[in-house]
Amino acid sequence: MASRSSDLQCVWFKRDLRISDHRPLVEAANAGPVLAIFIIEPAVVEAPDYGEIHGVFQAQALRELDAALKKLGNRLVVRRGEAVEVLEAIRSEIGFQALWSHEETGNEITYRRDREVGIWAKNRGVVWTEISQNGVIRGLCDRDGWAGLWRERMKDAPLDAPIRLRERSGQLVSEEIPNKLSNREEGWVTETDMVGGEIEGRAVLDSFIEGRGKGYRKKMSSPVTAYDHCSRLSPYFSWGCLSIRSAVARVREAMGKSLPRADGNSFLSRCHWHCHFMQKLEAEPEIEHHCFNRACENLRPRNPDPERLEAWCSGQTGYPFLDACMRSLRTRGWINFRMRAMLVSFAAYDLWLDWRSFKDFLARQFIDYEPGIHFSQVQMQSGVTGINTLRIYSPVKQGRDQDPSGGFIRRWVPELSSLSEDQIHEPWLVQSGELKSLDIVLGRHYPRPIVDHQTAVKKARLAFSELRNMDEFWEEAARVNRRHGSRRPTEKRPKRRKKESAQQEFTLQ
DNA sequence: AGTGCAGTTGACTTT
DNA sequence: TAAAGTCAACTGCAC
């Protein structure tokens, strides 16, 4: 049995794989010798939202974290198993009464696990201290004052990494860190150049501040320029290799110097939005499975048309720019925000798929999958929040606007590469004789559009306008707005159309 | 140089 | 983080 007087401090690493700006680690180190652990939880890494790239990225970050801890005279103990059973095993092997970690705003699985760990800790007399690592405020019921609290959080200077970490993990066995945390395979060639780890994260931040960020504001819209000029820090934020606060501090410092003010401000407002969306999941975990606006719950069929879903997932919808974006995403694990919105818009409005039928697929593709942002976004781009106006993207217009020369399409949809700049956005408009002379047969080398955009969108709008005639929709919209709505006065929200009242009809004016 | 007209641009509204 | 429609102001051009 473990010694009851142990002053050993157990630091449980989760989605915070770094040593800088890591308050639990610093506080634990001040309180006693540190035992650093990471748990590979089957329930987490085998869940439908956990992708192959996540397993690789996290494994890279873990290896680097272990190396960093070793430099501080410590090490990382890695175990596989469900959290409570592993914590109990370690406690019985070495004994500790203090457990430290960051607050996590995760999916249902990690939320339930955290509650179980809480109960376990209480029963064992272990004091578990959870500390926030971003602008998400635990226990907030509505959005009044949130923006101010976020600013407060970002004011604090990031914490330095500890200089030394007293070690006392004894003979505790640590598993070898695998090359990836799960055996999941996407069946798609991935060639992402994003490598997990705190050092890599800092290098990415440096290159953004020192050059890539110039023109960020303008260049983030097109997938042609976004890959280089967006920060691409999101995976490092999601897996915790870099804290939001430390990126915010570095960007503020560089603004007006190596980074133009407009670009820096644009990046900072995105850091703000990052936490804004996570806060929604923190406040209402049900949004993983239910529409923000419950009146939208049965709007679309819950069972997807399998052929439509498959065409969308594999980049075979017949809309060249859309397919290019999907294929690029699946290969690189990342695409810019605007194109993510377009992909979801197409699934939701053109294909009339319920967001719940594609959210896990998309989550597995995004190397920067962050549950709170993801659930909010797929719902928002599907129009089921009730507090945002419908934003329906035209894949052809987006293609002409964001990839006018068609170069991005040619790269990711090579079967169309012989088409001209004008033809490539709408190959179905090209005479079949001319297509044939270029060795392209639609329906064989590349599909015809699986739906007609204009027709599909018209139908979708009609369904929404019917929904908006129901009182329940507006009651729900008011509730969502109270709980989650941004308090920015500029935000535009749909307004209920005035009913033609008798009074209005007969008012003479 | 002024006028009429078709076509363009931009701000704003609607869905 | 949309797109299409409306309307008025503007532009270029012919006469």
Side-chain angles (χ1 to χ4, degrees):
Chain A
M1 192 60 203
S3 122
R4 296 237 123 243
S5 61
S6 167
D7 61 345
L8 184 59
Q9 309 293 310
C10 181
V11 177
W12 177 19
F13 283 90
K14 297 155 89 182
R15 287 176 73 132
D16 52 356
L17 306 180
R18 62 173 184 274
I19 56 168
S20 293
D21 200 29
H22 197 296
R23 187 169 289 280
L25 186 63
V26 170
E27 302 225 347
N30 289 338
V34 166
L35 165 64
I37 66 166
F38 181 85
I39 308 172
I40 302 172
E41 302 160 89
V44 172
V45 301
E46 282 161 23
D49 62 353
Y50 193 89
E52 185 179 3
I53 43 171
H54 303 146
V56 174
F57 192 92
Q58 258 191 310
Q60 292 161 341
L62 283 172
R63 234 167 284 130
E64 197 182 291
L65 177 63
D66 182 42
L69 290 169
K70 280 182 175 137
K71 273 192 186 161
L72 301 179
N74 210 297
R75 64 171 176 141
L76 184 67
V77 172
V78 176
R79 293 281 178 98
R80 190 179 284 267
E82 297 311 338
V84 168
E85 80 193 33
V86 170
L87 287 168
E88 175 61 19
I90 293 177
R91 198 193 71 98
S92 65
E93 285 170 51
I94 198 166
F96 61 84
Q97 283 159 302
L99 178 64
W100 300 84
S101 69
H102 272 124
E103 287 173 356
E104 183 171 354
T105 310
N107 62 10
E108 188 187 18
I109 294 164
T110 60
Y111 182 36
R112 197 187 309 131
R113 166 260 270 157
D114 280 345
R115 278 175 301 178
E116 285 165 7
V117 168
I119 292 165
W120 166 85
K122 204 165 206 178
N123 290 341
R124 291 288 184 271
V126 169
V127 178
W128 182 22
T129 310
E130 288 181 282
I131 300 171
S132 168
Q133 64 168 331
N134 50 34
V136 176
I137 317 287
R138 190 154 279 190
L140 212 61
C141 301
D142 60 43
R143 274 314 178 89
D144 297 330
W146 179 80
L149 290 168
W150 185 86
R151 291 184 71 86
E152 284 298 312
R153 285 273 178 88
M154 294 302 140
K155 249 189 225 162
D156 303 335
L159 294 171
D160 289 332
I163 296 166
R164 222 182 78 77
L165 283 177
R166 274 189 293 151
E167 201 254 354
R168 199 198 290 155
S169 59
Q171 300 301 306
L172 267 188
V173 174
S174 174
E175 285 186 29
E176 191 113 327
I177 298 168
N179 286 329
K180 53 182 186 178
L181 302 200
S182 78
N183 293 321
R184 183 180 284 283
E185 278 177 20
E186 285 297 322
W188 194 277
V189 182
T190 53
E191 49 187 45
T192 180
D193 58 6
M194 281 174 265
V195 177
E198 186 170 1
I199 295 170
E200 285 77 6
R202 288 202 175 275
V204 173
L205 175 59
D206 287 346
S207 73
F208 178 68
I209 284 171
E210 284 158 19
R212 289 191 302 113
K214 208 162 281 172
Y216 170 74
R217 205 166 58 111
K218 294 263 170 72
K219 290 174 173 170
M220 72 172 118
S221 291
S222 164
V224 179
T225 45
Y227 198 75
D228 289 332
H229 296 278
C230 281
S231 77
R232 267 195 293 122
L233 287 168
S234 50
Y236 300 94
F237 292 149
S238 293
W239 302 105
C241 302
L242 200 66
S243 74
I244 293 264
R245 187 178 14 231
S246 54
V248 165
R250 284 287 313 279
V251 164
R252 280 185 179 155
E253 191 185 280
M255 269 166 66
K257 296 173 199 160
S258 62
L259 187 67
R261 267 184 202 288
D263 297 317
N265 278 326
S266 190
F267 176 83
L268 291 178
S269 83
R270 261 142 251 275
C271 290
H272 180 267
W273 287 115
H274 181 103
C275 300
H276 168 82
F277 289 114
M278 289 179 76
Q279 183 73 43
K280 292 174 196 263
L281 181 62
E282 177 68 36
E284 190 172 348
E286 295 80 11
I287 63 163
E288 179 174 357
H289 304 294
H290 296 286
C291 298
F292 276 97
N293 188 316
R294 301 294 195 272
C296 299
E297 210 66 347
N298 300 313
L299 184 65
R300 299 178 172 94
R302 283 301 294 270
N303 290 323
D305 177 325
E307 281 177 23
R308 287 181 163 204
L309 182 61
E310 173 55 26
W312 179 75
C313 291
S314 55
Q316 297 284 351
T317 67
Y319 284 94
F321 185 62
L322 189 99
D323 290 337
C325 288
M326 179 61 88
R327 297 181 193 186
S328 169
L329 165 64
R330 293 196 69 173
T331 305
R332 294 165 148 180
W334 187 92
I335 196 155
N336 60 324
F337 180 83
R338 191 185 188 85
M339 270 56 255
R340 295 185 194 202
M342 179 185 71
L343 288 170
V344 173
S345 163
F346 193 84
Y349 299 108
D350 294 67
L351 304 180
W352 204 238
L353 300 173
D354 191 294
W355 59 277
R356 287 161 286 202
S357 64
F358 57 78
K359 74 169 178 23
D360 288 332
F361 164 79
L362 268 191
R364 291 196 301 275
Q365 313 309 315
F366 294 158
I367 193 168
D368 52 18
Y369 168 54
E370 177 64 62
I373 300 175
H374 190 64
F375 306 148
S376 304
Q377 285 299 330
V378 292
Q379 289 208 45
M380 200 175 296
Q381 308 299 348
S382 301
V384 296
T385 65
I387 63 168
N388 305 89
T389 53
L390 298 188
R391 293 188 196 283
I392 303 175
Y393 290 72
S394 156
V396 173
K397 183 180 181 297
Q398 287 299 316
R400 292 199 185 277
D401 288 352
Q402 310 302 338
D403 183 29
S405 72
F408 187 78
I409 297 176
R410 277 186 207 97
R411 171 163 182 193
W412 297 101
V413 188
E415 54 272 43
L416 298 178
S417 59
S418 54
L419 290 176
S420 73
E421 181 171 310
D422 189 54
Q423 297 167 322
I424 201 163
H425 294 283
E426 296 172 277
W428 58 90
L429 296 181
V430 181
Q431 298 282 323
S432 63
E434 193 177 345
L435 280 178
K436 205 153 203 176
S437 71
L438 297 164
D439 284 327
I440 298 172
V441 177
L442 284 189
R444 197 157 100 220
H445 302 111
Y446 182 73
R448 297 182 173 284
I450 56 169
V451 290
D452 177 66
H453 175 70
Q454 313 300 340
T455 315
V457 160
K458 206 177 248 180
K459 229 176 126 185
R461 282 198 181 283
L462 195 68
F464 271 94
S465 66
E466 277 169 17
L467 194 69
R468 279 157 181 258
N469 285 330
M470 293 163 55
D471 287 336
E472 195 202 344
F473 178 87
W474 295 101
E475 286 156 16
E476 276 289 292
R479 182 190 66 81
V480 174
N481 208 12
R482 233 174 295 126
R483 193 151 181 192
H484 300 286
S486 155
R487 294 297 186 260
R488 281 204 327 183
T490 50
E491 179 96 357
K492 274 190 189 162
R493 299 205 184 84
K495 286 198 187 88
R496 176 173 216 158
R497 207 194 325 168
K498 273 185 207 154
K499 273 189 188 151
E500 301 260 329
S501 69
Q503 198 185 354
Q504 265 186 327
E505 268 187 59
F506 294 109
T507 301
L508 298 170
Q509 255 188 20

